[in-house]
């Protein structure tokens, strides 16, 4: 019998992003679901982990007059309980998320924001204890450099410094599970969530046995061969 959505969310939230990536690799994912180069900027400390369905936002260059335009601000339409995923154009130096957006997202019940791009107003995010994960930060705001174009569409997030041949892009569909913590950000397709949970649980058990043996003085190679078969 399949789990409910809330069950899946609770179980996924119990695993680290590292455990989830390991499970994704075992399922044949070429990138382990890892959304590269994105790290935690807020809140301070290492206790934060968010897990929720993706609400996607595609940004375009401000000079792009052909791309669609939104009728409402994307923060105003963010569903409660969602993780906002923003995909900004490559190599732009401006922020696409600031303190006012954090205030709006928090008031609407969003769990956090993951930005393939930059944020600003770091102190405001931290004062609000709102989870912000990004590739970097800036003093510059959106205008006139970028603008939001579409929401709730599939977004393709690429590495900032290597080719897709070296590290395949991650496709995030609206509603996919996004988990983020101090180690990074992963995306779990809805169709793979239950298999990821099962494999992550098994991986945790194996790692616990490895840790016990290594702390007891056994060699890492010997331990890996015993418990992992390699």
């Amino acid at each position: 019998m399949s789990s409910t959505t809330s069950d899946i969310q609770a179980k996924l939230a119990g695993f680290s992003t590292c455990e989830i990536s390991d499970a994704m690799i075992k399922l044949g994912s070429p990138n382990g679901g890892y959304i590269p180069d994105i790290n935690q900027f807020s809140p301070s400390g290492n206790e934060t982990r968010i897990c929720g369905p993706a609400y996607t936002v595609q940004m375009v260059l401000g000079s792009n007059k052909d791309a669609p335009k939104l009728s409402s601000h994307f923060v105003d339409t963010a569903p409660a309980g969602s993780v906002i995923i923003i995909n900004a154009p490559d190599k732009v130096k401006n922020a696409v998320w600031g303190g006012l957006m954090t205030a709006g997202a928090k008031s609407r019940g969003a769990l956090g924001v993951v930005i393939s791009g930059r944020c600003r107003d770091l102190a405001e995010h931290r004062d609000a204890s709102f989870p912000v994960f990004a590739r970097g930060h800036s003093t510059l705001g959106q205008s006139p450099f970028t603008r939001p174009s579409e929401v709730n569409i599939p977004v393709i997030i690429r590495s900032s410094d290597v080719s897709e041949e070296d590290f395949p892009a991650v496709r995030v569909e609206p509603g996919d599970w996004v988990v983020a913590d101090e180690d990074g950000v992963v995306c779990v397709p809805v169709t793979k969530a239950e298999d990821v949970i099962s494999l992550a649980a098994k991986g945790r058990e194996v790692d616990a046995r490895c840790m016990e043996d290594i702390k007891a003085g056994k060699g890492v190679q010997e331990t890996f061969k015993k418990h992992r078969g390699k």
Side-chain angles (χ1 to χ4, degrees):
M1 186 167 122
S2 61
S3 302
T4 66
T5 298
S6 59
D7 286 340
I8 289 171
Q9 183 173 12
K11 289 175 182 177
L12 277 176
F15 294 107
S16 72
T17 52
C18 298
E19 291 173 315
I20 292 171
S21 274
D22 287 349
M24 289 282 288
I25 290 291
K26 289 172 184 171
L27 287 172
S29 168
N31 49 38
Y34 173 57
I35 301 179
D37 313 319
I38 297 177
N39 297 297
Q40 180 180 329
F41 281 87
S42 172
S44 301
N46 59 3
E47 300 301 317
T48 297
R49 181 177 298 149
I50 58 174
C51 174
Y55 165 72
T56 59
V57 181
Q58 180 64 55
M59 294 276 178
V60 297
L61 294 174
S63 59
N64 186 336
K65 307 300 181 187
D66 299 322
K69 295 181 179 179
L70 298 177
S71 58
S72 301
H73 196 286
F74 68 87
V75 171
D76 293 339
T77 54
S82 66
V83 177
I84 301 170
I85 305 289
I86 301 176
N87 192 31
D90 292 340
K91 298 179 181 177
V92 295
K93 299 301 182 184
N94 64 291
V96 296
W97 186 270
L100 296 176
M101 295 181 190
T102 274
K106 187 172 183 178
S107 72
R108 282 162 181 76
L111 299 180
V113 62
V114 172
I115 309 159
S116 179
R118 298 172 183 255
C119 61
R120 70 173 189 171
D121 303 325
L122 297 181
E124 294 179 37
H125 309 312
R126 290 167 182 164
D127 286 346
S129 295
F130 188 75
V132 176
F133 296 79
R135 284 192 168 164
H137 57 92
S138 175
T139 62
L140 300 169
Q142 275 191 53
S143 183
F145 309 102
T146 55
R147 65 174 179 85
S149 177
E150 296 177 273
V151 298
N152 271 337
I153 61 165
V155 294
I156 308 296
I157 303 179
R158 298 174 174 85
S159 172
S160 59
D161 57 1
V162 299
S163 70
E164 281 193 56
E165 201 171 273
D166 293 324
F167 190 85
V170 178
R171 181 184 177 94
V172 183
E173 297 274 356
D176 279 350
W177 294 106
V178 176
V179 185
D181 60 21
E182 62 178 327
D183 283 308
V185 183
V186 293
C187 174
V188 178
V190 169
T191 55
K192 294 184 182 294
E194 292 190 81
D195 288 337
V196 165
I197 289 166
S198 176
L199 286 171
K202 291 175 183 176
R204 178 175 285 182
E205 291 173 3
V206 170
D207 281 356
R209 291 196 293 270
C210 287
M211 184 66 77
E212 184 178 347
D213 283 358
I214 290 169
K215 284 183 174 181
K218 293 182 180 178
V220 172
Q221 183 172 339
E222 173 193 0
T223 301
F224 280 9
K225 188 173 182 180
K226 175 183 176 182
H227 296 296
R228 295 182 172 181
K230 58 181 178 180

